[in-house]
Amino acid sequence: MEIHNLFQPFDIRFVKVNECPVKAHKNTFIELIYIMEGEGTYHINQSEFKYSPENLFLVMPMDTHYTEVLTTTSFMFIRFNNIYLNAQRANERYSNLGDWAHKLEYIFQNSNHLQGCILRNVHDKPLVRALMDAIVQEHVNQQTLHKELVQQLMNTLITVVARNISLHIPEKSNLSQSLSLEIIHYIHQNIYNPDKLKAENIASHFNISLNYISEYFKKHTNENLQQYIINYKLLLVEIRLKHSDMRLNEIAAELNFTDDSHLTKTFKKYKGVSPSEFRRGVLALAF
């Protein structure tokens, strides 16, 4: 099977075809596929979905996918990789436009919940259409500052994508209480802030007794509160090992492990292999 690579930070393509130009393949990058017009069938990882205008599909790295075109279809492909995502990290105190890495982690965490078109919020469809039309216009006309404007449009698009993915979670979750979901979302949002993840601070934030919060969380998730936090951190470590070239000490620092030795010891304890062994295994599978 063909594996497609991206040799630049991001790529935008607009094609109009009567049949799919490529067979089943995998990407080493993230891809958003938007249907401007036309109908057909979209295949991804053994599932298939009918597509129509204004459908948006998310393809994660190493997903197997292809399309069958029924009527002439205009596709918009937006592709980006880790180089681009890292470049978007904002240093400005009041800016969140560069917080792509954290939004991306939310997508990785929940992409297995997705079924077909990811636009669950009907009010977002005209917004996404307007964004796509603007991206096409800027990409084709290439007026002054068109690259900067396209980047801002893409930032907005990824935020809309993250919001719609969040709408998939409650239906798929087996949690019996909405408060449990709120605690999980709180953990996701504050995973880089260890102080906020202390049990006493979580209990205070949700106005729950410190003696009861762990019991409550385990009752509705079948998982210990601190164990859930560790598992989520290790998931983020896996994402970085799979989809970035970050060194272990950089990953350890970002996720508040004491050092790379502490990260390696924790990862091996729960995953059975060291981070280096895990990364080598991922690279071996890619080839």
Side-chain angles (χ1 to χ4, degrees):
M1 181 179 295
E2 290 186 7
I3 296 180
H4 295 177
N5 298 299
L6 185 64
F7 298 104
Q8 53 191 0
F10 74 93
D11 181 51
I12 297 173
R13 296 186 183 182
F14 177 77
V15 297
K16 188 173 184 177
V17 295
N18 292 315
E19 60 181 26
C20 183
V22 294
K23 299 179 180 179
H25 64 283
K26 297 180 179 180
N27 299 331
T28 59
F29 48 87
I30 302 167
E31 183 173 48
L32 289 167
I33 302 175
Y34 185 71
I35 311 300
M36 306 288 285
E37 61 177 341
E39 296 182 343
T41 304
Y42 177 64
H43 299 259
I44 180 168
N45 297 333
Q46 310 304 317
S47 297
E48 61 178 57
F49 308 95
K50 299 298 182 182
Y51 72 72
S52 57
E54 300 189 350
N55 281 173
L56 180 65
F57 298 96
L58 172 68
V59 183
M60 301 307 295
M62 304 314 291
D63 282 345
T64 300
H65 63 110
Y66 68 98
T67 56
E68 290 182 280
V69 176
L70 179 61
T71 64
T72 301
T73 300
S74 295
F75 293 100
M76 180 76 167
F77 299 100
I78 297 180
R79 302 158 174 171
F80 46 92
N81 59 22
N82 186 67
I83 296 174
Y84 180 76
L85 294 171
N86 284 340
Q88 303 312 304
R89 293 189 178 186
N91 294 318
E92 293 80 9
R93 180 180 177 186
Y94 297 105
S95 173
N96 64 358
L97 292 177
D99 196 23
W100 276 57
H102 297 173
K103 291 184 178 70
L104 181 63
E105 286 160 2
Y106 193 80
I107 291 173
F108 268 102
Q109 170 75 354
N110 297 289
S111 61
N112 61 311
H113 296 286
L114 304 182
Q115 293 292 323
C117 176
I118 63 175
L119 293 180
R120 182 67 62 90
N121 185 353
V122 295
H123 300 294
D124 281 337
K125 286 194 172 184
L127 172 58
V128 170
R129 180 73 194 209
L131 287 169
M132 293 298 185
D133 288 340
I135 290 173
V136 170
Q137 179 178 330
E138 291 299 323
H139 188 65
V140 171
N141 296 334
Q142 299 198 0
Q143 299 180 20
T144 303
L145 297 177
H146 75 278
K147 289 184 179 180
E148 290 79 3
L149 184 53
V150 166
Q151 180 176 312
Q152 297 303 318
L153 292 168
M154 288 177 62
N155 282 341
T156 302
L157 179 62
I158 201 70
T159 303
V160 175
V161 168
R163 175 167 71 183
N164 278 266
I165 288 175
S166 71
L167 297 177
H168 290 252
I169 300 171
E171 291 184 8
K172 298 294 180 179
S173 174
N174 60 6
L175 302 177
S176 60
Q177 298 289 337
S178 60
L179 181 57
S180 300
L181 278 174
E182 291 180 19
I183 294 174
I184 286 177
H185 292 166
Y186 175 90
I187 292 170
H188 291 181
Q189 293 165 4
N190 295 287
I191 198 66
Y192 303 96
N193 190 332
D195 286 338
K196 289 190 175 182
L197 295 183
K198 292 179 179 178
E200 58 266 29
N201 290 333
I202 297 176
S204 175
H205 181 84
F206 290 98
N207 197 27
I208 299 176
S209 166
L210 175 60
N211 295 328
Y212 180 61
I213 188 166
S214 292
E215 177 185 342
Y216 175 86
F217 189 83
K218 188 170 184 178
K219 176 181 178 182
H220 294 295
T221 67
N222 295 317
E223 192 166 6
N224 177 275
L225 178 62
Q226 292 305 315
Q227 188 62 56
Y228 181 87
I229 293 172
I230 292 173
N231 287 339
Y232 184 59
K233 274 193 174 185
L234 293 178
L235 173 65
L236 300 185
V237 173
E238 286 187 8
I239 291 171
R240 281 152 178 72
L241 294 172
K242 287 180 180 179
H243 305 287
S244 84
D245 56 1
M246 291 177 69
R247 295 188 294 271
L248 287 184
N249 63 329
E250 294 174 327
I251 298 173
E254 184 183 22
L255 291 168
N256 297 292
F257 289 91
T258 305
D259 51 29
D260 53 344
S261 177
H262 179 212
L263 168 58
T264 297
K265 182 178 179 180
T266 304
F267 193 90
K268 190 167 185 177
K269 176 181 178 181
Y270 291 98
K271 301 297 181 179
V273 295
S274 70
S276 298
E277 291 170 332
F278 180 86
R279 178 171 266 169
R280 285 197 295 270
V282 170
L283 292 174
L285 288 174
F287 295 99

